[in-house]
Amino acid sequence: MSAAFFRNALIYRLSAPWNPDPAAVEDQLARLAFTPGMAQEAQSLGWVPAMEGEGLAHRVGKHWLLTLRAEKKLLPASVINQFTKTRAAQLEEEQGFRPGRKQMKELKERVTEELLPKAFSIFRDTRVWIDPEGGWVVVDTTAPARADEIIGLLKKSVDDLPLAPLKLAHSPAQCMTTWLVDNEVPGPFSIDDDSELRDTGESRAAVRYVRQSVDADTVQRHLKEGKQCTRLALTWRDRVSFVLTETCAIKRINALDVVREGREGLDEGDARQVFDAEFTLMAGELSGMLTDLLDVLGGEQKAEG
């Protein structure tokens, strides 16, 4: 679709109303703005503008878009080990005996410090969409470790952000298995031809169907073998297709033609107008899709007490 449309989604919730002063959020993000890492730093994290030349807190209507940049020095372990081995051989010749464990550890640390300034840097930008009205906080990734990293920095950056994990009343795997058996999803969703059924036991054996539907008899056979659906391709209202996983991660988000038509009439030469229009379009579509998805998954867990 576009740079503004998310490809993936790990979902969090706003547990209370959030309506901050945009200028205050901008100042808070600036405290942890991205700066290139020092020579000896293996990784550097910080916020960058969603659009070049704009602020860190990109806001269109009631929707917010933030971008976290990670810089990581590319220093393969094999290179470190090779240099360490050479240094160890030199040290053994000098002192007349092989370096011990402590010496090897110190050698490896020194080699790493010396090589880091010469290492190449790779940069990765990951976006966060915040929808105060719908209560959604969505990270454009399916990697839990990366999302944890981003959410952790978001909590440090933005004061009083009422951020909470999404806790569902029912297991997505159980729901998806039922949908496959019934060959139907409640609500405005349809099943597409991509699914995975995985053993719930220690083997974790899996069978996957790509561009192929699964009939109820086949599903029942897999259920008897101890499998359940852990991945299922769906389409929402003939507008957005995606793949839902057992952890409620959403992959391969794709806006269909009916959504793409929303770009018509835009001035393609005005990058800001196009970006904001597509971000607004994405936010509206995903907000509606997530609301309906939450409903067919049985809603959220009720707070105890």
Side-chain angles (χ1 to χ4, degrees):
M1 177 75 177
S2 73
F5 215 100
F6 281 27
R7 302 290 184 185
N8 307 287
L10 282 185
I11 308 162
Y12 299 82
R13 294 293 268 159
L14 292 175
S15 58
W18 185 69
N19 186 29
D21 175 29
V25 175
E26 183 72 27
D27 291 341
Q28 291 162 17
L29 293 173
R31 296 181 305 205
L32 291 174
F34 176 81
T35 55
M38 303 293 288
Q40 301 298 331
E41 289 182 321
Q43 179 170 283
S44 180
L45 295 172
W47 303 105
V48 295
M51 280 196 70
E52 188 173 350
E54 301 289 336
L56 299 174
H58 193 84
R59 187 167 178 259
V60 182
K62 295 183 178 180
H63 297 278
W64 300 71
L65 183 65
L66 312 179
T67 302
L68 183 78
R69 177 164 295 168
E71 176 190 10
K72 186 176 182 181
K73 298 290 179 62
L74 192 61
L75 187 56
S78 59
V79 174
I80 296 174
N81 292 336
Q82 179 184 345
F83 275 82
T84 303
K85 186 177 180 180
T86 301
R87 294 284 181 86
Q90 293 171 351
L91 185 59
E92 181 178 354
E93 187 175 341
E94 292 171 4
Q95 64 187 17
F97 57 89
R98 296 178 62 182
R101 183 177 298 177
K102 182 179 179 181
Q103 280 185 305
M104 287 299 296
K105 181 181 178 183
E106 292 172 348
L107 272 178
K108 193 169 187 178
E109 290 174 350
R110 282 205 300 271
V111 165
T112 302
E113 290 177 0
E114 292 172 10
L115 292 179
L116 270 175
K118 304 174 184 178
F120 290 103
S121 289
I122 56 174
F123 297 89
R124 182 191 69 233
D125 288 355
T126 307
R127 297 163 301 171
V128 182
W129 160 51
I130 304 176
D131 173 15
E133 193 169 81
W136 305 110
V137 177
V138 176
V139 183
D140 188 0
T141 183
T142 56
R146 187 181 302 176
D148 288 344
E149 182 179 70
I150 293 167
I151 291 299
L153 197 70
L154 184 59
K155 288 180 177 178
K156 289 181 182 178
S157 303
V158 181
D159 298 339
D160 302 321
L161 181 66
L163 195 57
L166 175 65
K167 295 182 178 180
L168 296 169
H170 301 303
S171 158
Q174 292 176 347
C175 292
M176 291 188 293
T177 303
T178 299
W179 300 342
L180 269 184
V181 170
D182 296 341
N183 194 30
E184 184 180 11
V185 185
F189 294 91
S190 56
I191 297 175
D192 295 334
D193 296 339
D194 191 337
S195 60
E196 177 185 87
L197 293 106
R198 186 176 293 274
D199 198 315
T200 56
E202 293 182 2
S203 73
R204 299 294 288 167
V207 58
R208 189 169 174 198
Y209 296 88
V210 180
R211 291 189 292 276
Q212 180 180 349
S213 59
V214 189
D215 59 62
D217 290 340
T218 301
V219 175
Q220 289 289 357
R221 187 179 75 247
H222 287 307
L223 291 180
K224 290 177 181 178
E225 294 172 353
K227 294 185 178 69
Q228 63 180 2
C229 185
T230 54
R231 175 186 174 107
L232 186 63
L234 301 166
T235 292
W236 173 72
R237 298 186 185 275
D238 296 325
R239 300 180 68 82
V240 178
S241 66
F242 62 97
V243 174
L244 179 66
T245 75
E246 61 186 320
T247 61
C248 205
I250 298 176
K251 302 181 177 182
R252 287 171 30 196
I253 299 172
N254 183 40
L256 304 181
D257 289 343
V258 67
V259 176
R260 296 174 190 271
E261 292 170 1
R263 298 180 78 255
E264 294 181 0
L266 294 177
D267 180 2
E268 298 293 342
D270 188 335
R272 172 65 186 267
Q273 182 193 40
V274 171
F275 186 89
D276 284 355
E278 292 188 342
F279 172 55
T280 302
L281 181 64
M282 181 213 72
E285 296 296 322
L286 292 194
S287 182
M289 185 189 86
L290 292 177
T291 299
D292 287 341
L293 183 61
L294 191 63
D295 184 53
V296 299
L297 288 172
E300 296 176 83
Q301 288 183 8
K302 294 182 179 179
E304 295 182 1

